[in-house]
Amino acid sequence: MARTSPTEVTGYRNDGVGTAVALVNAVTADAGDPSPEALGALLASYNFKVDGPVSDDEAEALRRWARRLRPVFAETDEARAIDLLNGVMAEVPMHPHVSDHGEGPHLHYGPPGAVLVDRVRANTAVGLAFVICDHGASRLGVCLDAACERVYADVSRGPRRRYCSKTCLNRNTVAAYRARRASAPA
């Protein structure tokens, strides 16, 4: 059965897959906001423990990480996507362990005491690995809307997504309908 909940995908209290998508979009898409303040808010919204403001150095490391992850989403060949993700994971200090710090036992992927950037890197890498292993690399992608650069991860049970949002899907559906009507004989 396909997994649908972020915590079911990674077994962790935050959503590594959603974090990867949001981080890549914040850093690499035109409408994104890669400022330290925005990145701190983004990580907090995905339940990362962010102690104080994200520093300029942390923000730059997160931006580099997002740029490293983007090719995994853009790759259409599954074997190549796996190679890219394995290369990314090889860069990440990982030490999976069970932790219980008041939230019930759960897995941490980074080493005990890991800094914020390393926790983000470990969790996003593992989250993407779970998507590829459970659903296939075709469930990661870049929006098909020609005017959009955003990435997505589809962990739904339904048919495979091809757009980052319903807004992009609807815009393209309406445009295709109008093009068909315009080319139909009168």
Side-chain angles (χ1 to χ4, degrees):
M1 175 183 232
R3 298 173 190 227
T4 57
S5 165
T7 56
E8 286 177 353
V9 171
T10 64
Y12 193 54
R13 298 285 188 247
N14 60 27
D15 176 4
V17 176
T19 305
V21 168
L23 185 61
V24 170
N25 287 335
V27 172
T28 67
D30 284 341
D33 182 357
S35 70
E37 299 78 19
L39 294 176
L42 180 151
L43 296 177
S45 75
Y46 283 95
N47 297 322
F48 278 90
K49 186 173 187 251
V50 181
D51 297 323
V54 170
S55 72
D56 290 337
D57 288 344
E58 289 172 319
E60 183 52 36
L62 291 167
R63 290 189 285 267
R64 278 193 308 271
W65 182 244
R67 289 188 290 271
R68 283 289 288 130
L69 291 179
R70 186 173 181 85
V72 176
F73 287 93
E75 183 55 58
T76 58
D77 178 74
E78 182 153 315
R80 180 72 182 126
I82 290 169
D83 286 344
L84 288 170
L85 184 56
N86 281 333
V88 164
M89 287 195 299
E91 298 173 19
V92 179
M94 288 198 220
H95 184 130
H97 62 282
V98 176
S99 180
D100 184 358
H101 43 87
E103 298 179 20
H106 58 281
L107 265 173
H108 277 222
Y109 300 108
V115 297
L116 175 65
V117 171
D118 286 342
R119 287 185 283 129
V120 170
R121 292 172 61 204
N123 203 48
T124 54
V126 169
L128 293 177
F130 273 108
V131 171
I132 288 176
C133 290
D134 289 353
H135 302 288
S138 65
R139 293 297 189 102
L140 302 175
V142 178
C143 186
L144 283 185
D145 185 322
C148 185
E149 303 170 326
R150 296 174 60 84
V151 300
Y152 63 87
D154 181 4
V155 295
S156 69
R157 285 194 252 168
R160 185 173 171 263
R161 283 172 53 176
R162 299 199 189 282
Y163 295 94
C164 69
S165 66
K166 288 187 180 194
T167 301
C168 285
L169 170 65
N170 291 342
R171 181 176 38 251
N172 281 268
T173 301
V174 168
Y177 171 76
R178 288 180 179 158
R180 284 190 306 275
R181 280 194 72 198
S183 66

Coordinates of all heavy atoms in Angstrom, one line a residue, residues 54-126:
V54 N 18.5 31.8 12.0 CA 19.4 31.0 11.1 C 20.5 32.0 10.7 O 20.2 33.1 10.3 CB 18.7 30.5 9.9 CG1 19.7 30.0 8.8 CG2 17.7 29.4 10.3
S55 N 21.8 31.6 10.9 CA 22.9 32.5 10.6 C 23.1 32.6 9.1 O 22.6 31.8 8.4 CB 24.2 32.0 11.3 OG 24.6 30.8 10.7
D56 N 23.9 33.6 8.7 CA 24.2 33.7 7.3 C 25.0 32.5 6.8 O 24.7 32.0 5.7 CB 25.1 35.0 7.0 CG 24.3 36.3 7.2 OD1 23.0 36.2 7.1 OD2 24.9 37.3 7.4
D57 N 25.9 31.9 7.6 CA 26.6 30.7 7.2 C 25.7 29.5 7.1 O 25.8 28.7 6.2 CB 27.7 30.4 8.2 CG 28.9 31.4 8.2 OD1 29.0 32.1 7.1 OD2 29.7 31.5 9.1
E58 N 24.8 29.4 8.1 CA 23.8 28.3 8.0 C 22.9 28.4 6.7 O 22.7 27.4 6.0 CB 22.9 28.2 9.2 CG 23.6 27.8 10.5 CD 22.8 27.9 11.7 OE1 22.1 29.0 11.8 OE2 22.8 27.0 12.6
A59 N 22.5 29.7 6.5 CA 21.6 29.9 5.3 C 22.4 29.6 4.0 O 21.8 28.9 3.1 CB 21.2 31.4 5.3
E60 N 23.7 29.9 3.9 CA 24.4 29.6 2.7 C 24.6 28.1 2.6 O 24.5 27.6 1.5 CB 25.8 30.3 2.8 CG 26.6 30.1 1.5 CD 25.8 30.4 0.2 OE1 25.0 31.3 0.1 OE2 26.1 29.6 -0.8
A61 N 24.8 27.4 3.7 CA 25.0 25.9 3.6 C 23.6 25.3 3.2 O 23.6 24.3 2.4 CB 25.4 25.4 5.0
L62 N 22.5 25.8 3.7 CA 21.2 25.3 3.3 C 20.9 25.6 1.8 O 20.4 24.8 1.1 CB 20.1 25.9 4.1 CG 20.1 25.5 5.6 CD1 19.2 26.4 6.4 CD2 19.6 24.0 5.7
R63 N 21.3 26.8 1.3 CA 21.2 27.1 -0.1 C 22.0 26.1 -1.0 O 21.6 25.7 -2.0 CB 21.5 28.6 -0.4 CG 20.5 29.5 0.2 CD 20.8 31.0 -0.2 NE 21.9 31.6 0.4 CZ 21.8 32.4 1.5 NH1 20.7 32.6 2.1 NH2 22.9 32.9 2.0
R64 N 23.3 25.9 -0.6 CA 24.1 24.9 -1.3 C 23.4 23.5 -1.3 O 23.4 22.9 -2.3 CB 25.5 24.8 -0.7 CG 26.4 25.9 -1.1 CD 27.9 25.6 -0.7 NE 28.1 25.2 0.7 CZ 28.3 26.1 1.7 NH1 28.3 27.4 1.5 NH2 28.4 25.6 3.0
W65 N 22.9 23.1 -0.2 CA 22.2 21.8 -0.1 C 21.0 21.8 -1.0 O 20.8 20.8 -1.7 CB 21.8 21.5 1.4 CG 21.2 20.2 1.5 CD1 19.9 19.9 1.9 CD2 21.8 18.9 1.3 NE1 19.7 18.6 1.9 CE2 20.9 18.0 1.6 CE3 23.1 18.5 0.9 CZ2 21.1 16.6 1.5 CZ3 23.4 17.2 0.8 CH2 22.4 16.2 1.1
A66 N 20.2 22.8 -1.1 CA 19.1 22.8 -1.9 C 19.5 22.7 -3.4 O 18.9 22.0 -4.2 CB 18.3 24.1 -1.7
R67 N 20.6 23.4 -3.8 CA 21.1 23.3 -5.1 C 21.6 21.9 -5.4 O 21.5 21.4 -6.6 CB 22.1 24.4 -5.4 CG 21.5 25.8 -5.5 CD 22.5 26.8 -5.9 NE 23.5 27.1 -5.0 CZ 23.5 28.0 -4.0 NH1 22.4 28.8 -3.9 NH2 24.5 28.2 -3.2
R68 N 22.1 21.2 -4.4 CA 22.5 19.8 -4.6 C 21.3 18.8 -4.8 O 21.4 17.8 -5.5 CB 23.4 19.3 -3.4 CG 24.8 19.8 -3.3 CD 25.7 19.2 -4.4 NE 26.0 17.8 -4.1 CZ 25.8 16.8 -4.9 NH1 25.4 17.0 -6.1 NH2 26.1 15.5 -4.5
L69 N 20.2 19.1 -4.1 CA 19.1 18.3 -4.2 C 18.3 18.4 -5.5 O 17.7 17.5 -6.0 CB 18.1 18.5 -3.0 CG 18.6 18.1 -1.6 CD1 17.5 18.5 -0.6 CD2 18.9 16.6 -1.6
R70 N 18.3 19.6 -6.0 CA 17.4 19.9 -7.2 C 17.7 18.9 -8.4 O 16.7 18.4 -9.0 CB 17.6 21.3 -7.7 CG 16.7 21.6 -8.9 CD 16.7 23.1 -9.3 NE 15.7 23.3 -10.4 CZ 14.4 23.6 -10.2 NH1 13.9 23.6 -9.0 NH2 13.7 23.7 -11.2
P71 N 18.9 18.5 -8.7 CA 19.1 17.5 -9.8 C 18.4 16.2 -9.6 O 18.0 15.5 -10.5 CB 20.6 17.4 -9.9 CG 21.1 18.7 -9.4 CD 20.2 19.1 -8.3
V72 N 18.2 15.8 -8.3 CA 17.5 14.6 -8.0 C 16.1 14.7 -8.4 O 15.5 13.7 -9.0 CB 17.6 14.2 -6.5 CG1 16.8 13.0 -6.2 CG2 19.1 14.1 -6.0
F73 N 15.5 15.8 -8.2 CA 14.1 16.0 -8.7 C 14.0 16.1 -10.2 O 13.0 15.7 -10.8 CB 13.5 17.3 -8.1 CG 13.2 17.3 -6.6 CD1 14.1 17.7 -5.7 CD2 12.0 16.8 -6.2 CE1 13.9 17.6 -4.3 CE2 11.7 16.8 -4.8 CZ 12.6 17.2 -3.9
A74 N 15.0 16.7 -10.8 CA 14.9 17.0 -12.3 C 15.3 15.7 -13.1 O 14.9 15.7 -14.3 CB 15.9 18.1 -12.6
E75 N 15.9 14.8 -12.5 CA 16.4 13.6 -13.3 C 15.2 12.7 -13.6 O 14.4 12.3 -12.8 CB 17.4 12.8 -12.5 CG 18.0 11.6 -13.2 CD 18.6 12.0 -14.6 OE1 19.5 12.8 -14.6 OE2 18.1 11.4 -15.6
T76 N 15.0 12.4 -14.9 CA 13.9 11.5 -15.3 C 14.3 10.0 -15.4 O 13.4 9.2 -15.5 CB 13.3 12.0 -16.7 OG1 14.4 12.0 -17.6 CG2 12.8 13.4 -16.5
D77 N 15.6 9.7 -15.5 CA 16.0 8.4 -15.5 C 16.2 7.8 -14.1 O 17.0 8.4 -13.3 CB 17.4 8.3 -16.3 CG 17.9 6.9 -16.4 OD1 17.4 6.0 -17.1 OD2 18.9 6.6 -15.6
E78 N 15.5 6.8 -13.8 CA 15.5 6.3 -12.4 C 16.9 5.9 -11.9 O 17.3 6.2 -10.8 CB 14.5 5.1 -12.2 CG 14.5 4.7 -10.8 CD 13.2 4.0 -10.3 OE1 12.2 4.6 -10.7 OE2 13.3 3.0 -9.7
A79 N 17.7 5.2 -12.8 CA 19.0 4.7 -12.3 C 19.9 5.9 -12.1 O 20.7 6.0 -11.1 CB 19.6 3.8 -13.4
R80 N 19.8 6.9 -12.9 CA 20.6 8.2 -12.7 C 20.1 8.9 -11.5 O 21.0 9.4 -10.7 CB 20.5 9.0 -14.0 CG 21.3 10.3 -13.9 CD 22.8 10.1 -14.0 NE 23.5 11.4 -13.8 CZ 24.4 11.6 -12.9 NH1 24.8 10.7 -12.1 NH2 24.9 12.8 -12.8
A81 N 18.8 9.0 -11.2 CA 18.3 9.6 -10.0 C 18.8 8.9 -8.8 O 19.2 9.6 -7.8 CB 16.8 9.7 -10.0
I82 N 18.9 7.6 -8.8 CA 19.4 6.9 -7.7 C 20.9 7.2 -7.5 O 21.3 7.4 -6.3 CB 19.1 5.4 -7.9 CG1 17.6 5.1 -7.7 CG2 19.9 4.5 -6.9 CD1 17.2 3.7 -8.2
D83 N 21.6 7.2 -8.6 CA 23.0 7.5 -8.5 C 23.2 8.9 -7.9 O 24.1 9.1 -7.0 CB 23.7 7.5 -9.8 CG 24.0 6.1 -10.3 OD1 23.9 5.1 -9.5 OD2 24.2 5.9 -11.5
L84 N 22.4 9.9 -8.3 CA 22.5 11.2 -7.8 C 22.2 11.3 -6.3 O 22.9 11.9 -5.5 CB 21.6 12.2 -8.6 CG 22.0 12.6 -10.0 CD1 20.8 13.3 -10.7 CD2 23.2 13.4 -10.0
L85 N 21.2 10.6 -5.9 CA 20.8 10.6 -4.5 C 21.8 9.9 -3.7 O 22.1 10.3 -2.6 CB 19.4 10.0 -4.3 CG 18.9 10.0 -2.9 CD1 18.8 11.5 -2.3 CD2 17.5 9.4 -2.8
N86 N 22.3 8.8 -4.2 CA 23.4 8.1 -3.4 C 24.6 9.0 -3.2 O 25.2 9.0 -2.2 CB 23.8 6.8 -4.1 CG 22.8 5.7 -3.8 OD1 22.1 5.7 -2.8 ND2 22.7 4.7 -4.7
G87 N 25.0 9.8 -4.2 CA 26.1 10.7 -4.1 C 25.8 11.8 -3.1 O 26.6 12.2 -2.3
V88 N 24.5 12.3 -3.1 CA 24.1 13.3 -2.1 C 24.2 12.7 -0.7 O 24.7 13.3 0.2 CB 22.7 13.8 -2.4 CG1 22.1 14.5 -1.3 CG2 22.7 14.7 -3.7
M89 N 23.7 11.5 -0.5 CA 23.7 10.8 0.8 C 25.1 10.6 1.3 O 25.3 10.6 2.5 CB 22.8 9.6 0.8 CG 21.4 9.9 0.7 SD 20.3 8.4 1.2 CE 20.8 7.3 -0.1
A90 N 26.0 10.3 0.4 CA 27.4 10.1 0.8 C 28.1 11.3 1.4 O 29.0 11.2 2.2 CB 28.2 9.6 -0.4
E91 N 27.5 12.5 1.1 CA 28.0 13.7 1.6 C 27.5 14.0 3.0 O 28.0 15.0 3.7 CB 27.6 14.9 0.7 CG 28.2 14.8 -0.7 CD 27.6 15.9 -1.6 OE1 27.1 16.9 -1.0 OE2 27.7 15.8 -2.8
V92 N 26.5 13.3 3.5 CA 25.8 13.7 4.7 C 26.3 12.8 5.9 O 26.3 11.6 5.8 CB 24.3 13.5 4.5 CG1 23.5 13.8 5.8 CG2 23.8 14.3 3.3
P93 N 26.6 13.5 7.0 CA 27.0 12.7 8.2 C 25.7 12.1 8.7 O 24.8 12.8 9.1 CB 27.6 13.7 9.1 CG 27.1 15.0 8.7 CD 26.8 14.9 7.2
M94 N 25.6 10.7 8.7 CA 24.4 10.1 9.2 C 24.8 9.1 10.3 O 25.8 8.4 10.2 CB 23.7 9.4 8.1 CG 23.0 10.3 7.2 SD 21.7 9.4 6.2 CE 21.9 10.2 4.6
H95 N 23.9 9.0 11.3 CA 24.1 8.0 12.4 C 22.6 7.8 12.9 O 22.2 8.3 13.9 CB 24.9 8.6 13.5 CG 25.2 7.7 14.6 ND1 26.5 7.5 15.0 CD2 24.4 6.9 15.3 CE1 26.4 6.6 16.0 NE2 25.2 6.2 16.2
P96 N 21.9 6.9 12.1 CA 20.5 6.7 12.6 C 20.5 6.1 14.0 O 21.3 5.3 14.4 CB 20.0 5.7 11.6 CG 20.9 5.8 10.4 CD 22.2 6.2 10.9
H97 N 19.6 6.7 14.8 CA 19.4 6.3 16.1 C 18.0 6.6 16.6 O 17.4 7.6 16.1 CB 20.5 6.8 17.0 CG 20.4 8.4 17.1 ND1 20.9 9.2 16.1 CD2 19.9 9.2 18.1 CE1 20.7 10.4 16.5 NE2 20.1 10.5 17.7
V98 N 17.5 5.9 17.6 CA 16.2 6.1 18.2 C 16.4 7.2 19.3 O 17.3 7.0 20.1 CB 15.6 4.8 18.8 CG1 14.3 5.1 19.5 CG2 15.4 3.8 17.7
S99 N 15.6 8.2 19.3 CA 15.7 9.2 20.3 C 14.3 9.4 20.9 O 13.3 9.1 20.3 CB 16.1 10.5 19.6 OG 16.2 11.6 20.5
D100 N 14.3 9.8 22.2 CA 13.1 10.2 22.9 C 13.4 11.4 23.7 O 13.9 11.3 24.8 CB 12.5 9.0 23.7 CG 11.2 9.3 24.4 OD1 10.7 10.5 24.2 OD2 10.7 8.5 25.1
H101 N 13.0 12.5 23.2 CA 13.2 13.8 24.0 C 11.9 14.4 24.2 O 11.7 15.6 23.9 CB 14.2 14.7 23.3 CG 14.0 14.8 21.8 ND1 13.1 15.7 21.2 CD2 14.6 14.1 20.8 CE1 13.2 15.6 19.9 NE2 14.0 14.6 19.6
G102 N 11.0 13.6 24.8 CA 9.7 14.1 25.1 C 8.6 14.0 24.1 O 7.5 14.4 24.3
E103 N 9.0 13.5 22.9 CA 8.0 13.3 21.8 C 7.7 11.9 21.5 O 7.1 11.6 20.5 CB 8.5 14.0 20.6 CG 8.7 15.5 20.8 CD 9.3 16.2 19.5 OE1 9.2 15.6 18.4 OE2 9.8 17.3 19.6
G104 N 8.1 11.0 22.3 CA 8.0 9.5 22.1 C 9.1 9.1 21.2 O 9.8 9.8 20.6
P105 N 9.4 7.8 21.3 CA 10.6 7.2 20.5 C 10.4 7.5 19.0 O 9.3 7.3 18.5 CB 10.5 5.7 20.8 CG 9.7 5.6 22.0 CD 8.7 6.7 22.0
H106 N 11.4 7.9 18.4 CA 11.4 8.2 16.9 C 12.8 8.2 16.4 O 13.8 8.3 17.2 CB 10.7 9.5 16.6 CG 11.3 10.7 17.2 ND1 11.1 11.0 18.5 CD2 12.2 11.6 16.7 CE1 11.7 12.1 18.8 NE2 12.4 12.5 17.7
L107 N 13.0 8.0 15.1 CA 14.3 7.9 14.5 C 14.9 9.3 14.2 O 14.1 10.2 13.8 CB 14.2 7.2 13.1 CG 14.5 5.7 13.1 CD1 14.2 5.1 11.8 CD2 15.9 5.4 13.5
H108 N 16.1 9.4 14.5 CA 16.9 10.6 14.1 C 17.9 10.0 13.1 O 18.4 8.9 13.3 CB 17.7 11.2 15.2 CG 16.8 12.2 16.0 ND1 17.3 13.4 16.5 CD2 15.6 12.1 16.5 CE1 16.4 14.0 17.2 NE2 15.3 13.2 17.2
Y109 N 18.2 10.8 12.0 CA 19.1 10.3 11.0 C 20.5 10.9 11.1 O 21.4 10.3 10.8 CB 18.5 10.5 9.6 CG 17.2 9.8 9.4 CD1 16.0 10.6 9.4 CD2 17.1 8.5 9.3 CE1 14.8 9.9 9.2 CE2 15.9 7.8 9.2 CZ 14.7 8.6 9.1 OH 13.5 7.9 9.0
G110 N 20.5 12.1 11.6 CA 21.8 12.7 11.8 C 22.5 12.2 13.1 O 21.8 11.6 13.9
P111 N 23.8 12.4 13.3 CA 24.5 12.0 14.5 C 23.9 12.7 15.7 O 23.3 13.8 15.6 CB 25.9 12.4 14.3 CG 26.0 12.9 12.9 CD 24.6 13.1 12.3
P112 N 24.0 12.1 16.9 CA 23.5 12.7 18.1 C 24.2 14.1 18.2 O 25.4 14.2 18.0 CB 23.9 11.8 19.2 CG 24.0 10.4 18.5 CD 24.5 10.7 17.1
G113 N 23.4 15.1 18.6 CA 24.0 16.4 18.7 C 24.3 17.2 17.5 O 25.0 18.2 17.5
A114 N 23.8 16.7 16.3 CA 24.1 17.3 15.0 C 23.6 18.7 15.0 O 22.5 19.0 15.6 CB 23.5 16.5 13.9
V115 N 24.3 19.6 14.3 CA 23.8 21.0 14.1 C 22.7 21.0 13.1 O 22.4 20.0 12.4 CB 25.0 21.9 13.6 CG1 26.1 21.9 14.6 CG2 25.5 21.4 12.3
L116 N 22.0 22.1 13.1 CA 20.8 22.3 12.3 C 21.0 21.8 10.8 O 20.2 21.1 10.3 CB 20.3 23.7 12.3 CG 19.1 24.0 11.4 CD1 17.8 23.3 11.9 CD2 18.8 25.5 11.4
V117 N 22.0 22.3 10.2 CA 22.2 22.1 8.8 C 22.4 20.6 8.5 O 21.8 20.0 7.6 CB 23.4 22.9 8.2 CG1 23.8 22.4 6.8 CG2 23.1 24.4 8.2
D118 N 23.2 19.9 9.4 CA 23.4 18.5 9.2 C 22.1 17.7 9.5 O 21.8 16.7 8.8 CB 24.5 18.0 10.1 CG 25.9 18.4 9.6 OD1 26.0 18.8 8.5 OD2 26.8 18.4 10.4
R119 N 21.3 18.1 10.4 CA 20.0 17.5 10.6 C 19.1 17.6 9.4 O 18.4 16.7 9.0 CB 19.3 18.1 11.9 CG 19.9 17.6 13.2 CD 19.2 18.1 14.4 NE 19.4 19.5 14.6 CZ 18.5 20.5 14.8 NH1 17.2 20.2 14.8 NH2 18.9 21.7 15.0
V120 N 19.1 18.8 8.8 CA 18.2 19.0 7.6 C 18.8 18.2 6.5 O 18.0 17.5 5.8 CB 18.3 20.5 7.2 CG1 17.6 20.7 5.9 CG2 17.6 21.4 8.3
R121 N 20.1 18.2 6.3 CA 20.7 17.4 5.2 C 20.3 15.9 5.4 O 19.9 15.2 4.4 CB 22.2 17.6 5.1 CG 22.5 19.0 4.7 CD 24.0 19.3 4.8 NE 24.8 18.4 4.0 CZ 26.0 18.1 4.2 NH1 26.7 18.6 5.2 NH2 26.6 17.2 3.4
A122 N 20.5 15.3 6.6 CA 20.3 13.9 6.8 C 18.8 13.6 6.6 O 18.4 12.6 5.9 CB 20.7 13.5 8.2
N123 N 17.9 14.4 7.1 CA 16.5 14.1 7.1 C 15.9 14.3 5.6 O 15.1 13.4 5.2 CB 15.7 15.0 8.0 CG 14.4 14.4 8.4 OD1 14.3 13.2 8.7 ND2 13.3 15.1 8.4
T124 N 16.4 15.3 4.9 CA 15.9 15.4 3.5 C 16.4 14.3 2.6 O 15.7 13.8 1.8 CB 16.2 16.8 3.0 OG1 17.6 17.1 3.1 CG2 15.4 17.9 3.7
A125 N 17.7 14.0 2.8 CA 18.2 12.9 2.0 C 17.5 11.6 2.2 O 17.2 10.9 1.3 CB 19.7 12.7 2.3
V126 N 17.3 11.2 3.5 CA 16.6 10.0 3.8 C 15.2 10.0 3.3 O 14.6 9.1 2.8 CB 16.7 9.7 5.3 CG1 15.7 8.6 5.7 CG2 18.1 9.3 5.7

